Every structure is written in C-alpha cells, then in structure tokens.
Amino acid sequence: MIKKIISCLLALILSVVALANDPIRYGIIPKPKSLKPMAGEFRINRHTVILIPEEDKLIEEIAADFADRVKRCSGMDLRVSPSTSPVAVHNNIVLTLREGMGDEAYHLSVTREQITITASTPHGIYYGVQSVYQLLPPQIYGETAVKGLKWAVPCCEIEDAPRFPYRGLMLDVGRYFMPKELVMKLIDVMSMHKQNFFHWHLTEDQGWRIEIKKYPRLTEIGSVRRESPIGNTKEGDNTPHGGFYTQEEVKEVVEYARKRYVTVVPEIELPGHATAAIAAYPELSCFPERTYEVATTWGVKKDIFCPTAATFRFLEEVFSELFDLFPSPYYHIGGDECPRDRWEESTCCQDLMKVLGLESEDQLQTFFVQRMAKFLKEKGGKTVIGWDEILDGGAVPETVVMSYRGHAPAMRAVHQNMRTILTPNRWSYLDYYQEDPDTEELSMILFLPLEKVYHYYPIPDTLAKEKHPYVMGQQGSLWTEYIQTPRRAEYMAFPRAVAMSEVAWCAKEEKDWNWFRARMLKEFERLDSKKINYSKAFYNVLFHFDRKADFPKKVGLSIDYPEARIHYTLDGKEPTRRSPLYSDSLTVNRGNVIRTQGFLKDGRKVGKMIEKKF
C-alpha cells in the first residue's frame, strides 16, 4: 500500500514537472516571475463572458480589445459585462482590481471553470491579458478566423511583475524614414512582450522627420536629402530620400501606443546632429552666412546648433508644439557626438563662455542641456533623457542618462545619484550583424547573436545594492544607416528584441537561456501570425572566431535551436549524421572550408547547411 502511494505521488510530481517544462504549453515571453502549472485547461467558447469592474473605461477598453481579437481569429463573439451582472459562475474571464500590487504587476489564475486576472491598475490587467494571449494557440495573433481550432488556455497560477520600470526599444527614422505602419507594428510587438517605452529618434543630420507648424521649412527642406551613401562607401546613389510624419499621424501613433500601454518618447537632437535643421534655418548655426544642406553621408557632423537667443527660442517653440503631441513624462534631447569646432571658431560662443564664466566648450554643452532641461521641466513637466555625453561637461541634475558607450558612463551617473538607462552598443544595438558578417547584408561592424543579447544584464555585479534603483532598465536601439526598408528593420529587430524583453523584465537569477530558446519555438509561430520578417539565424549554425587573429585560428560553433547537435566536415562534403559531431573549438588554417549542419536526435535537419571558407 505504501509503495502504491509513493508510486502515485512520484507520478504526480513527474507529471507536474513535465507540465512546467513544456515550452509549448507555457511559452510565455518574458518569463513570468512565478508560474505554477496545473492539469487541465480553460476552453473559450461562444458562451464565455468577460466580467469587468463597473465604470472603469480603461479595463472596458482592454476587455473589448480582447473580445475583438478572439472574434477576429475564431469567429466567436464574446460578451463583456460588469462583474455585478447575473451570469453563470463558470465559463468566465474575470478582470478585477485589488490594491497593494505594483503598477505593472498582475496575478493570473486559470482553472477549468474560470480565468481571473487581478491587478492594482489597468496596466497590470493589460499585461495579464498579454500572458493569456501567449498561452493560447499562436493563431490568436492572426487577422483571419481559423476554423476548427481549440481555443484553450492551460491551467496555471502566475504571479508576475517586472524587474525594471523602463523596458524600451528605439527606432531611428532620421537616416531612413520609416512609415507609420512599421512604427505601429513595432509598438504592437513591444506590448505583446510587455515592453513599455518606444523611443522615437525623430531628427538627425540626414533628415528632420516631424511636422512643426511654426517652422515649415524643417520638413519642406530638412526632411529631404539629395542622395544617400552607397553601402559603406563615400559614393552617393543620386537618389533623393525623404519623408516626415504629420502631427495628425503622430497623434495616431501615440494613441495606438496608449491603448497598448507603451509610452512614446520623442527625441529631438541637440546641440549636435542638427544639420537638417540648420539647412532649413541657417540662423540656428554659428555662421548663418554659410551655405548648408541636409547631410548626405553618415558620421558625426561639425555644424551644430549655436547657443544663441534665436536658437533657444526656436527649440522652445518646437518643444511647445510637441507638448500637445507627446504626453510622455520623458523627452529625449540627444546630447551625443557634438563636435566643438564651430563653437571654438565662433566669437559669439567665446564671448558667451566669458560671460558665463565657463572654462571649456564641454561646459558650454552642459549649459545648453541645463537650459533646455529647465525649460522642459518648467513648461512641460518633462524629465530630460540624454545620451551619456551629457555627463562629459559636468552632470545635469534630474536628467536621465542613456548610456550607449558601455557601463562606465552609466556607473558615473549612478554614483552621482542620477538615473540611467542601459543601451550599450555591444549588447543592445540591433544594427549589428546577427548571422555571418561575410555573407549577411551590410550591417554595422560588430557581431551580436541572440544568445549574447539574452545574457546581458543592466546591473553590474560590482554595483552596491543601494545603487540598484538608479538603473531604470534597458533598451534595444535600432539605428538605420544600413536599414533602408521596413522589412529589413523587422529582420534586424527580431528575434533579438524579444530576448531584450526578458532581459528587462526578469531578475538576473530568473533568466534561463535553455528555457528561453525552447519557448522561442512557439514564439516564432506568433511572429509568423503577425507577419514579422524575423531573422532565421536561430535555426542555423553560427561561427565564432577572432577575425583579427593570425592562422591557425580557433573557431567555435553554436546553434540556438534547442537540443540540436552540430555535425561538420572539413573535406568539402555535405555533413550528415555520420559526420564528426562538434564538441569543442576547431583549429583552421587559411583556405580551410568548414561545412556545418544542425541535426535533431531523430535525424531531422535543423535549418540549412552553412559553409565557411577561411
């Protein structure tokens, strides 16, 4: 009898473990803080009712969107009712508020009879709904009804809340203009993964991308350049490139983001990266008599805003128009890559430095940032975010430092009790290569595969715990010098931006690379349903080696696909399961060719055969 009881208990434990370790059944990304699997499932049918608190318009909006998505994908028309309405005690999806939880925290309970999402705010309710979507079949993200599909949510208990308050994604539209449809698509996928800040890089040397009614030449002149570089050469393509967003389009994007609990943070670059604005209004420069044009090449430009009364009036009037468009509490003002050459040449700037008692042009930049930060705070109630160069001439209190040059600037900010957001280029820049730099379409110089993205964490191990709250979070940054189309932007962003959602949501000890890549199998089905043009690097063998090292050199191989094993050949033949199994780095000489292929244990191939010649 005792043996039978022990056997039953063991079987129960094993079944629970099997449920918990099923990435298809519980494939939520980012990983919940706590997930307790349970047997059974809740089935959504045409009689399911969504119950909401009375007179809560935001939760009513979330419920209506959920019902609309279910109808679109299944054809079922779910009813939304106040929780006080007389309904059956089962077959309900209950959205309920409870005090005492974090603003973005939620509790999700799924039983055979009912789904209950509990949170202190509509924001938390929204995130609970996102987890329900991910527990459903991936077709829930499609745009057409799927007949005969079982719309079931596996039973479980989830307690969840984010580790960091800022979980962001940036899109640069200054280099290549991207249509609002892509912007909205990115925001949609962000919200699906509980990322909450969309950083919109709207102005650059190569283009001004937002309508400002008081300064029409910003878009008439500043939004169009006469040509763009061909690849990474200095040769131009002789093709004009332009585009900008009207204020009505901006309002549409911001409202779209609001419904998805994503805050849109605008960036207007100053005092550098201002060539497009100066081409439209030369009086903003230190030398108005000179001729300017919108930049046609990449890189850092010497023509920057001059700190005159006219320039500050211009910027204040520009931001005043933005106040009606972007309710975000944060505004980004750039502050990076600002050469001092023109300020050094300018008698006006040198005289201003004497009046202000400044010893260097670096301090003049700090004065520039201080003045704009004060205006934005006093007139708009906005907190300034700036790239980490805003620290170089002295810290500007109450600003937020966005650190892209590694951890050192972020730690400088933290140790001055300033908040910081991490987007270090070696871990967070989505314009870097993710497959093979020798064969992949031209990208920025570094190699940033999915696994490296996932293993990043914004807080260094050496940072004292009392300083941790100053680290607001992490952001992926998609720069577009070599990204000319929306499809290319999607390819470079995904799936790496998905990994970043988990980087910023989970505590370091909660992350698990093997579990993440297992969950990615269902994730790719979701991205397919949303028609995202993501990279397929996940399925193929990647090569890791020092390109600057002499021969013979060591070459490592990896594949992200879970449980795939790598077989390779050195004799030019196509790899089979009988070919050598990769276990450690290989030594190659000049002229060697390695052919690789991923295989599963049952013999199925994963991805395509990858060949590398050295």
Side-chain angles (χ1 to χ4, degrees):
M1 184 65 180
I2 295 176
K3 288 183 177 179
K4 188 174 182 180
I5 293 173
I6 292 174
S7 178
C8 290
L9 287 173
L10 182 59
L12 179 61
I13 292 170
L14 291 175
S15 67
V16 171
V17 170
L19 286 174
N21 290 326
D22 184 347
I24 303 302
R25 183 177 172 86
Y26 299 109
I28 297 175
I29 297 175
K31 179 185 175 187
K33 194 175 186 68
S34 169
L35 188 155
K36 179 183 176 182
M38 297 187 298
E41 60 190 18
F42 175 89
R43 293 194 180 186
I44 299 175
N45 57 46
R46 62 174 53 88
H47 302 296
T48 301
V49 178
I50 306 172
L51 298 177
I52 62 173
E54 280 192 292
E55 298 182 358
D56 194 312
K57 296 299 182 183
L58 291 177
I59 295 182
E60 183 179 348
E61 182 179 72
I62 294 168
D65 285 347
F66 181 84
D68 178 69
R69 174 130 301 281
V70 170
K71 183 176 182 178
R72 188 175 305 182
C73 299
S74 71
M76 294 184 290
D77 197 355
L78 305 187
R79 182 160 59 97
V80 178
S81 297
S83 55
T84 54
S85 299
V87 295
V89 295
H90 63 279
N91 200 15
N92 300 323
I93 299 173
V94 183
L95 311 182
T96 182
L97 294 174
R98 185 186 74 203
E99 294 183 0
M101 302 172 69
D103 287 346
E104 297 179 296
Y106 68 93
H107 173 258
L108 171 62
S109 171
V110 183
T111 68
R112 289 182 173 92
E113 292 77 30
Q114 185 169 277
I115 294 176
T116 305
I117 300 173
T118 307
S120 290
T121 65
H123 202 154
I125 295 290
Y126 183 83
Y127 284 162
V129 169
Q130 300 316 300
S131 290
V132 171
Y133 282 141
Q134 292 200 20
L135 291 170
L136 283 163
Q139 290 83 353
I140 191 65
Y141 292 104
E143 294 301 320
T144 57
V146 181
K147 294 182 179 180
L149 190 63
K150 182 176 69 172
W151 297 98
V153 182
C155 294
C156 60
E157 290 278 343
I158 292 175
E159 293 281 355
D160 204 6
R163 171 62 184 85
F164 295 101
Y166 188 104
R167 306 175 301 280
L169 182 66
M170 186 217 75
L171 177 65
D172 162 32
V173 296
R175 275 54 178 240
Y176 280 99
F177 176 75
M178 296 292 166
K180 72 173 183 182
E181 290 76 15
L182 173 69
V183 174
M184 294 162 82
K185 195 173 187 180
L186 291 177
I187 289 170
D188 193 40
V189 181
M190 285 179 65
S191 71
M192 167 182 168
H193 299 105
K194 306 181 179 76
Q195 292 171 298
N196 60 349
F197 283 94
F198 176 71
H199 173 183
W200 207 355
H201 188 84
L202 288 164
T203 70
E204 259 302 337
D205 294 304
Q206 297 81 16
W208 182 283
R209 304 297 183 205
I210 184 169
E211 176 190 27
I212 302 297
K213 295 185 183 297
K214 187 156 189 175
Y215 294 96
R217 293 208 304 270
L218 286 172
T219 46
E220 291 170 1
I221 296 173
S223 71
V224 181
R225 61 176 179 265
R226 59 180 172 82
E227 65 178 5
S228 306
I230 297 176
N232 57 3
T233 72
K234 294 183 179 180
E235 184 180 353
D237 62 6
N238 296 314
T239 302
H241 176 82
F244 66 92
Y245 307 99
T246 66
Q247 292 195 3
E248 288 305 309
E249 287 175 319
V250 169
K251 290 177 183 177
E252 184 181 353
V253 168
V254 170
E255 172 61 11
Y256 189 85
R258 181 200 65 78
K259 292 182 68 174
R260 287 154 181 79
Y261 292 83
V262 173
T263 299
V264 180
V265 178
E267 180 179 0
I268 303 297
E269 278 270 14
L270 61 91
H273 289 289
T275 308
I278 290 171
Y281 294 96
E283 61 269 27
L284 302 174
S285 72
C286 291
F287 301 96
E289 70 281 2
R290 297 179 184 177
T291 300
Y292 302 95
E293 70 167 349
V294 179
T296 58
T297 57
W298 316 135
V300 179
K301 308 303 178 185
K302 293 182 179 180
D303 291 310
I304 63 175
F305 286 128
C306 197
T308 62
T311 296
F312 288 122
R313 182 170 59 252
F314 163 81
L315 289 170
E316 288 170 2
E317 289 172 344
V318 165
F319 280 114
S320 293
E321 288 197 26
L322 298 187
F323 291 156
D324 293 331
L325 302 177
F326 298 99
S328 168
Y330 300 105
Y331 273 33
H332 205 303
I333 62 168
D336 64 312
E337 298 177 335
C338 180
R340 316 302 197 225
D341 304 60
R342 299 295 184 255
W343 289 353
E344 291 172 357
E345 289 180 63
S346 168
T347 302
C348 173
C349 290
Q350 296 304 310
D351 289 345
L352 178 61
M353 288 171 59
K354 290 176 184 177
V355 170
L356 296 174
L358 305 180
E359 297 178 357
S360 70
E361 287 74 17
D362 287 347
Q363 293 176 341
L364 186 57
Q365 166 147 336
T366 299
F367 161 76
F368 206 123
V369 172
Q370 283 176 331
R371 172 148 180 176
M372 292 312 304
K374 181 180 179 182
F375 169 81
L376 287 164
K377 175 61 72 175
E378 292 180 352
K379 300 299 182 181
K382 310 299 182 183
T383 295
V384 160
I385 301 175
W387 299 108
D388 57 54
E389 282 97 331
I390 66 172
L391 292 169
D392 290 353
V396 180
E398 297 186 7
T399 57
V400 176
V401 174
M402 184 167 279
S403 186
Y404 78 95
R405 295 180 295 178
H407 272 211
M411 294 307 100
R412 283 173 57 199
V414 165
H415 288 300
Q416 296 177 73
N417 295 335
M418 296 176 67
R419 290 177 294 166
T420 185
I421 299 163
L422 276 297
T423 182
N425 55 3
R426 291 178 179 271
W427 291 276
S428 301
Y429 270 25
L430 296 170
D431 55 338
Y432 290 158
Y433 290 100
Q434 57 188 323
E435 296 189 18
D436 184 348
D438 292 330
T439 58
E440 194 175 3
E441 188 174 330
L442 180 64
S443 302
M444 277 297 181
I445 57 174
L446 299 182
F447 178 51
L448 185 60
L450 183 68
E451 183 175 5
K452 184 175 181 180
V453 169
Y454 184 82
H455 284 306
Y456 176 70
Y457 192 66
I459 298 179
D461 293 338
T462 55
L463 184 64
K465 284 189 177 181
E466 61 268 21
K467 296 292 186 181
H468 287 194
Y470 291 105
V471 179
M472 290 176 62
Q474 183 262 358
Q475 172 178 287
S477 296
L478 186 60
W479 301 101
T480 60
E481 285 92 337
Y482 301 128
I483 300 175
Q484 301 181 12
T485 66
R487 277 184 60 81
R488 177 70 178 165
E490 291 175 22
Y491 166 88
M492 295 300 284
F494 301 107
R496 292 183 293 186
V498 177
M500 289 179 182
S501 74
E502 193 148 309
V503 168
W505 184 269
C506 297
K508 187 175 184 179
E509 62 273 11
E510 296 168 353
K511 292 167 60 183
D512 184 330
W513 164 244
N514 288 328
W515 180 228
F516 172 77
R517 58 183 184 159
R519 283 175 287 140
M520 281 301 299
L521 297 179
K522 186 176 182 181
E523 174 68 16
F524 286 125
E525 294 185 61
R526 299 178 191 129
L527 296 180
D528 287 335
S529 291
K530 296 187 80 66
K531 294 181 168 49
I532 299 293
N533 181 45
Y534 56 87
S535 165
K536 306 303 189 295
F538 183 88
Y539 297 89
N540 298 321
V541 176
L542 299 177
F543 287 72
H544 308 269
F545 60 94
D546 184 352
R547 293 174 175 274
K548 297 180 180 179
D550 293 331
F551 289 98
K553 65 174 67 182
K554 297 285 188 180
V555 176
L557 306 176
S558 69
I559 187 168
D560 293 339
Y561 196 97
E563 298 185 0
R565 297 185 294 181
I566 302 170
H567 290 265
Y568 68 93
T569 63
L570 302 174
D571 58 7
K573 294 181 180 179
E574 186 169 333
T576 69
R577 290 183 67 200
R578 295 183 178 180
S579 302
L581 177 66
Y582 174 78
S583 61
D584 199 357
S585 60
L586 307 174
T587 300
V588 299
N589 290 295
R590 191 181 304 277
N592 285 165
V593 176
I594 302 178
R595 286 187 162 192
T596 64
Q597 177 70 62
F599 289 91
L600 296 179
K601 291 179 180 179
D602 61 7
R604 286 179 295 158
K605 291 182 179 179
V606 176
K608 58 185 179 181
M609 190 270 290
I610 302 294
E611 176 182 293
K612 185 72 177 173
K613 184 176 181 179
F614 293 89

